[in-house]
Amino acid sequence: MSDHAADAAGLGRPRAAAFMAPALLLITAFLVVPALWTLVLGATNYRLTGLAAANPQFVGTGNITEALSDPGFGWSLWLTLLFVLGSAIFGQSLAGLSLAWSLRSAPKVVKAVVETLVLMAWILPSSVVAFLWVAYLSRHGGTLNAILQTPGTDWLIQHPMASIIVFNIWRGTAFSMLLFSAALSAVPPSQMESARLAGAGTLAQLRDVVFPHIRGHVLTNTLLISLWTFNDFTPYLLTAGGPNHATEILPVFIYNRALYGGELGYGSAISFLMLIINLVIALFYVRLLRERR
Amino acid sequence: MSPQAFLRRVGFVLFLAVVTAFWALPMLWLVTAPFDAHPGLTVRWPEWTLDNFRRLSESPYAFSSLRNSVLLAGGAMILVTVFGALAAYALSRVHVPGRGAILYGMLLLSSIVTGTAAMVPIFQLMFTLGLIDDRTGVILVLTGGLLPAAIFVLKDFMDATPRSYEESARVFGASPTQVLRHVVLPIARPGLATIAVWALVNAWGDFLTAYILLRDPTKTPAGVVMYTFYSEGGQANLPLISAFSVLYALPVVVLYIFVSRRYGFRFHGGIKS
Amino acid sequence: MGEIRIEGLTKVYSGNVTALDRLDLTINDGEFFALLGPSGCGKTTLLRTIAGLEVATSGRIHIGERDVTKMSPGDRDVAMVFQDYALFPHMTVSDNIAYPLRIRKVDQASRAQTAARVGAGLGLNGLLERRPGELSGGQQQRVALARAMACEPSAFLFDEPLSNLDARLRLEARTFLKGLQHQLGVTTVFVTHDQAEALAMADRIAVMEAGRLRQLGTPAEIFHRPIDTFVANFIGSAPMTMLDADLVRGRLYVAGTTIEQEVAVRWSGPDPSDGPVVLGIRPEYVRVGAFGPMTVQATIRIVENLGATVLLTAETASGDRLQALVPDGTQPAVGAQVELSPVAERVLLYDEEGHLMTPATQAAPAPA
């Protein structure tokens, strides 16, 4: 009966419109306009300096074709794929699931400690955690080298992708852990007990009882964290894309070329491609949610 | 205990130990180095001192950046909460045509047009508006990005508040603004507090927006300044960095503890538990 | 002063849903008036339209001398108590009660005084500084009442005032409300779907269905002479037994028996035309044994014990079911063959369209 009791305080349409106006204005200005602008700007050869700054030319899909044939872009895309696959799809999901599963039967204190640690990694500001890892992975005096007894290993130089993948897993697992924790607690205990009484071991329980229940959540979680990881700029704080483009994932690539290098038109075209990819992932996610409702 | 059960037990304990170590180790430095008279990169038992915090004032940008962070985060928090609450209330109570589509559209948009994907046009837009190197600009951009999710959550919250309270006040003669002030806002306080904290934490930890929009080092917030401390060439000033990290990270940690005590940090990602 | 007059009131929602259909109704000053009907009949819509929370599509509403049809809710001088009481959780009991006065800009001291006085009148002493969340259901209801009383309106509007209380409390609250309304003498309109509640509390009842008024009358009128089969079915704790019958040349053929002159000659108006009719009789007015002109042979099928009374369901040779309510201890056993006699004066006849045929000139029957 939405019409019936909706306007409880007697707001009326005009006042309601006024209430919504500031928010809608900001959202239009900083979400809608940039999205559209990317399209426009991406079709020009606009640069911050030089001839093209004063007199940008329309190049149509020129930027996009340039991007698609640019080895730097292809390389960046490949790195991003590795990054998302390794740290989100496999890393955070598996880590989150195994943590959620193990902590179910852990003593309360242990559970509290581990959850707090994992959550802290997520909520500490990005520049702080970035430096913590720079220190941790540092060649001379880094704690990792001290523990693994591998003195002199410069992890960020010698194993850059692995480093940022592990870093991102460390940083982002909290969300998956919380999500799976909630999902697991929604699995009816009676079903698990029936399986256990029937003789199922842990793996079998996971496969036959738990997984069917959380299958939907696994999918939506994976999509969500993939979207976030795909857009994550934080690795810049560790490597700035180096050494020598070795960790130049797409967000860093865009920054380096467009904002640092001044190629705004080209950068916009890449941003446009990025928006498209985001859109595809987001639509998948929404579709999944609708199906499960 | 059978051998398999014993092995499983050992494996379980080992797993938890490794997990705990993996997560704790990088953070240990934050607990030891700031209080160490001669901090190194390695984690070690510190020579206890509070000197490093005193030395923060020697850096020209340490405290000013924290102040900037407060400004930016506070500004974003206020705007997100106020604008978000107003919009959510209107959307919840008044039958605006297509409000379902507006809501989902907004939410979708904010997931797609992320800070990263929009960094170029945002930069361009602010350049055109003359808001480069202006903290107000940063606040506005941050607010714009946070509003859709805030409105979504607040609207949900207000939908669940019974309308009879507002109708009751109305029959007693309260005007719509009186209804809002006397009835709606007090009842919506928990939801508003949650959104305010969430916006604050998000804005406090922001790096990219401030990084691309601000030039003047006296205007940059702690997130960016922190980065410059260790990315600039030369020897990293560890006493400075360590003390600064603690001050920068502390408010967020404190807020987390406060919120989880009060409300229990259990957001579900859409699952009823 | 508190008379409520409703003329041609219509309310149509988008999508062509007619919630109120040209209603005409007058509620007398000081009356305890019930709006009764099944869900969706429009009773709540009517109440809300009187309050001003819904805007009528057409028609007029007068409260006292004033035409309030276009007035905003706050100007109509009515007080409404909602089903969930709508007590503001963040205000104390005293502040809740005084809220209408706060809107009227009465100063803090006078407000608190009035709240204390009204609260004391309803037995809320000592609870004035508590929050609604700390009170029991019954106490919350009284706070809501106090708040409505504090502004001394021309009329009270109650939306299902008792449905949030548990069963035992509900009966006590019924008595309490009836007494309070009588004492205050303020026009009160209340909405309920519970016919027993309406019969017990109201001075007059409006039975509604699909946005229309089915019957308007005192509880006695509605109970004894429901104007059509809908009302007849709706009213009464045990449903009225409805039997198909045929009226042929003044004789009634029903349930395998024929009723001769006794019933037929009571028509004082024009003779009803022959044809199928429906005979209605309440189980309370069916006796075991052969009394009166109408006696039916039946076999007892079901016996339901209701405490002081027993409800018998019997089946006649013609396959009709007839129910009788008898005092505990007098009931026959299941399977017994008995004679059942409806009290002649209580029998009601309905025509094919379900309208009441039995004329009102029948004298009120003497107690059996």
Side-chain angles (χ1 to χ4, degrees):
Chain A
M1 287 266 252
S2 64
D3 199 351
H4 173 85
D7 193 358
L11 267 182
R13 292 257 172 101
R15 216 176 329 221
F19 276 16
M20 292 194 341
L24 285 181
L25 191 66
L26 282 180
I27 292 176
T28 312
F30 298 110
L31 289 182
V32 177
V33 167
L36 296 174
W37 200 309
T38 310
L39 256 167
V40 170
L41 204 53
T44 72
N45 66 349
Y46 188 67
R47 298 177 83 94
L48 259 184
T49 56
L51 188 62
N55 206 1
Q57 302 286 359
F58 181 74
V59 294
T61 54
N63 281 326
I64 299 204
T65 39
E66 186 189 336
L68 292 177
S69 53
D70 178 358
F73 173 70
W75 175 243
S76 176
L77 205 55
W78 166 247
L79 287 177
T80 315
L81 188 67
L82 279 180
F83 185 56
V84 172
L85 221 69
S87 93
I89 299 183
F90 289 114
Q92 292 176 35
S93 294
L94 285 177
L97 185 55
S98 24
L99 276 172
W101 177 257
S102 321
L103 289 179
R104 273 168 62 251
S105 40
K108 275 234 174 88
V109 175
V110 173
K111 182 170 192 218
V113 167
V114 174
E115 279 188 353
T116 309
L117 284 175
V118 176
L119 265 161
M120 280 294 141
W122 197 44
I123 68 175
L124 286 176
S126 36
S127 2
V128 172
V129 299
F131 182 71
L132 286 179
W133 274 76
V134 167
Y136 187 60
L137 297 176
S138 143
R139 185 182 202 185
H140 301 294
T143 313
L144 188 62
N145 280 340
I147 293 199
L148 292 181
Q149 296 287 302
T150 52
T153 317
D154 197 337
W155 294 91
L156 284 172
I157 302 283
Q158 294 170 271
H159 309 281
M161 272 309 280
S163 301
I164 65 169
I165 288 180
V166 172
F167 165 73
N168 195 250
I169 296 177
W170 183 87
R171 175 91 163 131
T173 298
F175 181 76
S176 305
M177 180 184 78
L178 285 177
L179 187 124
F180 285 129
S181 194
L184 287 176
S185 62
V187 174
S190 49
Q191 289 191 21
M192 301 246 267
E193 284 163 2
S194 309
R196 230 163 76 219
L197 283 171
T202 311
L203 230 58
Q205 275 180 60
L206 270 168
R207 182 194 62 206
D208 298 325
V209 181
V210 177
F211 198 64
H213 268 102
I214 64 171
R215 190 174 42 200
H217 296 127
V218 169
L219 213 47
T220 51
N221 180 55
T222 309
L223 274 177
L224 211 53
I225 60 178
S226 300
L227 186 63
W228 290 341
T229 307
F230 180 64
N231 285 268
D232 190 23
F233 190 72
T234 321
Y236 177 84
L237 295 169
L238 282 150
T239 59
N244 203 17
H245 307 288
T247 57
E248 203 170 39
I249 54 178
L250 214 47
V252 180
F253 180 73
I254 295 178
Y255 179 80
N256 281 340
R257 291 291 282 272
L259 291 174
Y260 191 69
E263 294 173 57
L264 287 180
Y266 183 61
S268 292
I270 314 271
S271 300
F272 174 70
L273 292 174
M274 202 169 171
L275 282 174
I276 299 292
I277 299 179
N278 280 355
L279 182 65
V280 170
I281 303 180
L283 283 180
F284 257 113
Y285 179 66
V286 168
R287 221 321 200 33
L288 261 181
L289 274 188
R290 287 255 181 82
E291 267 172 35
R292 286 186 48 216
R293 202 143 283 202
Chain B
M1 210 193 267
S2 69
Q4 290 113 318
F6 180 71
L7 271 176
R8 205 165 329 134
R9 195 95 177 108
V10 168
F12 182 67
V13 174
L14 209 64
F15 173 70
L16 283 180
V18 167
V19 156
T20 311
F22 176 66
W23 258 280
L25 282 172
M27 289 195 275
L28 279 180
W29 190 87
L30 199 56
V31 188
T32 60
F35 308 102
D36 195 337
H38 300 104
L41 285 171
T42 331
V43 173
R44 64 165 200 173
W45 190 256
E47 301 166 29
W48 295 100
T49 174
L50 285 176
D51 235 17
N52 298 333
F53 292 97
R54 240 164 292 171
R55 297 228 258 141
L56 269 179
S57 49
E58 287 171 20
S59 154
Y61 301 124
F63 284 120
S64 71
S65 73
L66 285 170
R67 207 174 326 138
N68 287 327
S69 281
V70 171
L71 264 165
L72 293 179
M77 174 186 86
I78 294 175
L79 289 186
V80 169
T81 313
V82 172
F83 290 169
L86 286 175
Y89 184 55
L91 277 173
S92 169
R93 293 310 192 226
V94 179
H95 185 61
V96 180
R99 65 180 162 176
I102 294 180
L103 263 178
Y104 274 102
M106 273 195 322
L107 209 58
L108 206 65
L109 202 61
S110 69
S111 317
I112 298 169
V113 185
T114 58
T116 315
M119 68 167 108
V120 175
I122 295 262
F123 176 76
Q124 185 58 20
L125 179 67
M126 300 310 264
F127 188 71
T128 314
L129 290 177
L131 282 174
I132 294 284
D133 210 22
D134 190 337
R135 277 168 295 192
T136 320
V138 177
I139 295 180
L140 291 178
V141 173
L142 289 174
T143 307
L146 294 171
L147 269 174
I151 296 178
F152 197 80
V153 169
L154 283 176
K155 174 182 177 293
D156 230 26
F157 200 82
M158 290 188 181
D159 281 346
T161 313
R163 291 174 171 86
S164 55
Y165 293 106
E166 296 153 67
E167 290 179 336
S168 188
R170 212 172 139 212
V171 176
F172 286 129
S175 69
T177 12
Q178 282 176 318
V179 173
L180 194 63
R181 267 188 311 134
H182 296 163
V183 180
V184 178
L185 289 179
I187 296 185
R189 235 199 310 253
L192 293 175
T194 313
I195 289 297
V197 169
W198 171 81
L200 185 71
V201 169
N202 262 295
W204 183 263
D206 167 72
F207 175 78
L208 185 59
T209 313
Y211 190 56
I212 63 178
L213 292 182
L214 295 173
R215 297 266 167 272
D216 185 350
T218 60
K219 293 191 190 162
T220 47
V224 177
V225 165
M226 171 84 195
Y227 178 63
T228 53
F229 279 169
Y230 71 82
S231 65
E232 240 107 78
Q235 196 65 319
N237 185 345
L238 290 180
L240 177 67
I241 293 182
S242 58
F244 188 69
S245 307
V246 169
L247 285 189
Y248 180 39
L250 203 60
V252 170
V253 175
V254 166
L255 268 174
Y256 162 71
I257 295 178
F258 175 70
V259 168
S260 72
R261 280 279 163 80
R262 257 292 189 95
Y263 303 112
F265 196 160
R266 284 282 132 195
F267 79 93
H268 313 297
I271 304 165
K272 284 198 194 175
S273 72
Chain C
M1 209 257 314
E3 178 190 82
I4 301 179
R5 217 163 62 244
I6 293 166
E7 291 162 7
L9 197 63
T10 308
K11 172 74 185 173
V12 181
Y13 287 112
S14 60
N16 265 330
V17 175
T18 307
L20 299 175
D21 195 358
R22 288 160 294 166
L23 280 176
D24 289 298
L25 186 53
T26 302
I27 301 170
N28 302 323
D29 186 18
E31 202 170 20
F32 201 174
F33 195 87
L35 298 175
L36 176 65
S39 23
C41 69
K43 55 191 192 293
T44 308
T45 309
L46 180 56
L47 195 75
R48 291 170 61 88
T49 312
I50 298 175
L53 294 170
E54 306 280 349
V55 177
T57 313
S58 62
R60 296 240 280 276
I61 304 176
H62 298 259
I63 300 183
E65 305 290 307
R66 312 184 300 158
D67 181 345
V68 302
T69 321
K70 298 276 188 257
M71 286 191 187
S72 75
D75 295 329
R76 297 192 183 199
D77 196 29
V78 296
M80 186 156 170
V81 176
F82 288 80
Q83 191 173 341
D84 62 3
Y85 311 135
L87 297 179
F88 305 136
H90 54 285
M91 296 186 197
T92 61
V93 165
S94 174
D95 287 334
N96 261 290
I97 298 176
Y99 186 70
L101 302 173
R102 177 178 168 192
I103 299 290
R104 278 158 214 210
K105 304 215 181 0
V106 176
D107 66 281
Q108 166 69 19
S110 319
R111 287 203 319 252
Q113 236 173 31
T114 311
R117 178 175 48 85
V118 176
L122 290 179
L124 294 169
N125 290 327
L127 297 174
L128 290 173
E129 292 311 309
R130 301 253 186 101
R131 294 279 153 100
E134 302 165 39
L135 302 178
S136 71
Q139 289 167 332
Q140 286 181 0
Q141 193 202 43
R142 278 181 281 149
V143 175
L145 284 172
R147 186 171 61 177
M149 286 162 57
C151 53
E152 296 182 7
S154 307
F156 290 135
L157 305 174
F158 295 158
D159 188 2
E160 309 260 10
L162 304 180
S163 47
N164 257 24
L165 302 170
D166 38 276
R168 173 56 36 83
L169 207 54
R170 207 175 292 177
L171 296 177
E172 288 175 22
R174 236 196 245 176
T175 316
F176 170 71
L177 264 182
K178 179 83 177 158
L180 181 67
Q181 196 274 341
H182 189 76
Q183 183 194 333
L184 293 175
V186 176
T187 313
T188 306
V189 184
F190 77 98
V191 160
T192 179
H193 61 275
D194 183 345
Q195 50 88 38
E197 204 172 280
L199 289 177
M201 294 205 295
D203 295 326
R204 277 197 307 155
I205 303 175
V207 182
M208 290 176 66
E209 201 238 347
R212 299 222 184 89
L213 193 57
R214 287 297 203 139
Q215 184 167 3
L216 176 61
T218 64
E221 285 164 15
I222 304 236
F223 184 75
H224 292 302
R225 293 184 54 78
I227 207 172
D228 60 22
T229 46
F230 170 79
V231 179
N233 272 318
F234 196 76
I235 303 286
S237 331
M240 185 184 277
T241 305
M242 302 293 213
L243 298 171
D244 291 323
D246 281 297
L247 197 59
V248 181
R249 286 195 300 277
R251 286 186 168 76
L252 204 56
Y253 293 85
V254 62
T257 68
T258 310
I259 318 291
E260 300 278 357
Q261 280 85 352
E262 294 290 334
V263 172
V265 298
R266 288 189 190 220
W267 310 120
S268 58
D271 275 347
S273 43
D274 288 357
V277 295
V278 175
L279 185 144
I281 183 71
R282 295 203 182 278
E284 292 93 330
Y285 299 123
V286 176
R287 289 180 291 176
V288 177
F291 308 95
M294 193 171 133
T295 302
V296 177
Q297 313 279 337
T299 315
I300 305 288
R301 292 283 181 226
I302 304 173
V303 175
E304 293 170 62
N305 194 313
L306 302 178
T309 52
V310 176
L311 182 65
L312 305 169
T313 306
E315 195 178 335
T316 67
S318 55
D320 294 297
R321 286 205 155 192
L322 189 58
Q323 286 191 315
L325 200 64
V326 298
D328 178 44
T330 65
Q331 73 272 26
V334 174
Q337 301 261 11
V338 296
E339 292 179 304
L340 297 172
S341 312
V343 173
E345 297 87 8
R346 297 293 190 191
V347 166
L348 297 167
L349 289 181
Y350 294 92
D351 66 19
E352 277 183 292
E353 274 99 56
H355 299 312
L356 187 62
M357 292 163 63
T358 316
T361 52
Q362 279 180 250

